Amino acid sequence: MKRIICKNYDEMSRLGSYVCAEQVWRKPNSVLGFATGSTPMGMYKCLVDMYKGGMVDFSGITAFNLDEYYPMSKSHEQSYDYYMWDRFFAHINVKRENVNLPNGGASDPQKACEEYENKIRLCGGIDLQLLGIGNNGHIAFNEPGDSLRVRTHVTELTENTIAANARFFECRDDVPRRALSMGMGSIMQARRILMLISGKSKAPVVKQMFSGVVTPQIPASVLQLHNDVVVLLDEAAASGL
Ligand code: GLP
């Protein structure tokens, strides 16, 4: 894993946007994997600015998001579908039919996961997958202790994740207990991975992730086994290294 320590959140976001844009310049029909959470918001804003400045063209890309709460309607303000359109997709020229998120409204979630995984395969796999990290080391919604081989699946959120994500909902009870998430097996298939990590609260998990030990208790530690990962950290997140 290559790690680059950035001065602050803005520098991390800018550098992250260059990595994504460079992927699109090199391969205009790239398949890009996107992530949600507070961390990539700055990077999406930089990419929108680059698009508006005529520096990058998203018309050929296909997008797959990592995860979605379940059950969750697309129109809910806390759905990842809403997040992505609100902050990114609506402001660039990606084709609507090329945008994919796990379907939080599916009546058969298991089947929806299988279809999602098949669609990624049919599109040729993910060229560049963007990732964030949860305080407990989760990636997407692959929680500590989950199998490292699974593909897109229905998962139960841990109490830790529910508590961490409650800040986006009116109260903790409103946070869905389940999610549809790409598995570590799907994520590890991506050709390149870009992870963004910001803030002091992530410093302890960053330390564990880079410890050299690969363990399902810290899902992010598995990335040590991938041969093309770039981790962009701000100084606060890297303070424990
Ligand atoms: C959620 C998402 C993850 C994300 C994590 C961290 O749980 N499912 O994909 O990485 O939050 O979010 P934040 O960037 O807000 O710390």
Side-chain angles (χ1 to χ4, degrees):
M1 281 195 290
K2 187 168 175 186
R3 66 181 189 227
I4 300 174
I5 300 174
C6 308
K7 234 187 314 168
N8 51 36
Y9 180 79
D10 288 348
E11 190 178 295
M12 179 199 74
S13 302
R14 211 168 32 247
L15 208 52
S17 70
Y18 296 160
V19 175
C20 286
E22 183 265 346
Q23 172 68 42
V24 180
W25 290 329
R26 223 160 13 99
K27 185 179 174 195
N29 62 345
S30 288
V31 179
L32 300 179
F34 290 113
T36 50
S38 48
T39 310
M41 286 182 191
M43 192 198 80
Y44 290 139
K45 192 175 174 307
C46 291
L47 283 170
V48 168
D49 290 344
M50 287 177 89
Y51 165 70
K52 289 189 172 157
M55 290 164 74
V56 59
D57 173 10
F58 293 100
S59 63
I61 71 154
T62 299
F64 283 94
N65 257 73
L66 282 172
D67 48 9
E68 180 59 281
Y69 292 109
Y70 188 83
M72 179 57 91
S73 86
K74 286 184 199 298
S75 57
H76 191 294
E77 282 194 16
Q78 293 311 327
S79 75
Y80 288 165
D81 203 288
Y82 188 98
Y83 169 114
M84 289 304 298
W85 282 99
D86 186 46
R87 295 184 169 84
F88 189 42
F89 296 144
H91 310 287
I92 60 169
N93 63 338
V94 64
K95 294 199 178 92
R96 182 167 279 272
E97 63 271 26
N98 290 347
V99 169
N100 303 279
L101 283 101
N103 181 3
S107 52
D108 183 343
Q110 195 52 50
K111 190 161 165 247
C113 290
E114 284 160 26
E115 286 169 0
Y116 198 69
E117 194 68 38
N118 279 337
K119 196 156 185 201
I120 296 174
R121 204 168 308 131
L122 283 173
C123 290
I126 292 172
D127 291 306
L128 176 67
Q129 176 65 58
L130 172 68
L131 298 176
I133 186 172
N135 292 328
N136 62 359
H138 78 215
I139 292 184
F141 278 127
N142 293 278
E143 296 284 23
D146 283 354
S147 159
L148 300 177
R149 302 168 71 105
V150 291
R151 318 294 296 209
T152 305
H153 62 297
V154 184
T155 181
E156 302 278 330
L157 306 192
T158 60
E159 285 305 318
N160 179 304
T161 296
I162 291 167
N165 290 6
R167 68 199 144 117
F168 299 114
F169 291 81
E170 259 172 42
C171 66
R172 189 184 165 123
D173 283 347
D174 287 351
V175 185
R177 268 37 195 170
R178 288 190 291 164
L180 310 185
S181 177
M182 276 192 208
M184 289 308 297
S186 336
I187 292 165
M188 291 295 280
Q189 293 274 307
R191 292 180 191 94
R192 299 171 70 202
I193 291 177
L194 170 65
M195 183 174 232
L196 303 188
I197 316 180
S198 166
K200 194 138 187 88
S201 65
K202 300 280 170 72
V205 81
V206 165
K207 198 170 169 194
Q208 286 176 292
M209 172 185 162
F210 283 105
S211 69
V213 177
V214 174
T215 163
Q217 292 315 316
I218 307 288
S221 67
V222 181
L223 298 178
Q224 294 174 97
L225 303 176
H226 192 286
N227 63 10
D228 194 350
V229 181
V230 174
V231 184
L232 302 181
L233 307 113
D234 62 13
E235 282 179 358
S239 58
L241 291 175

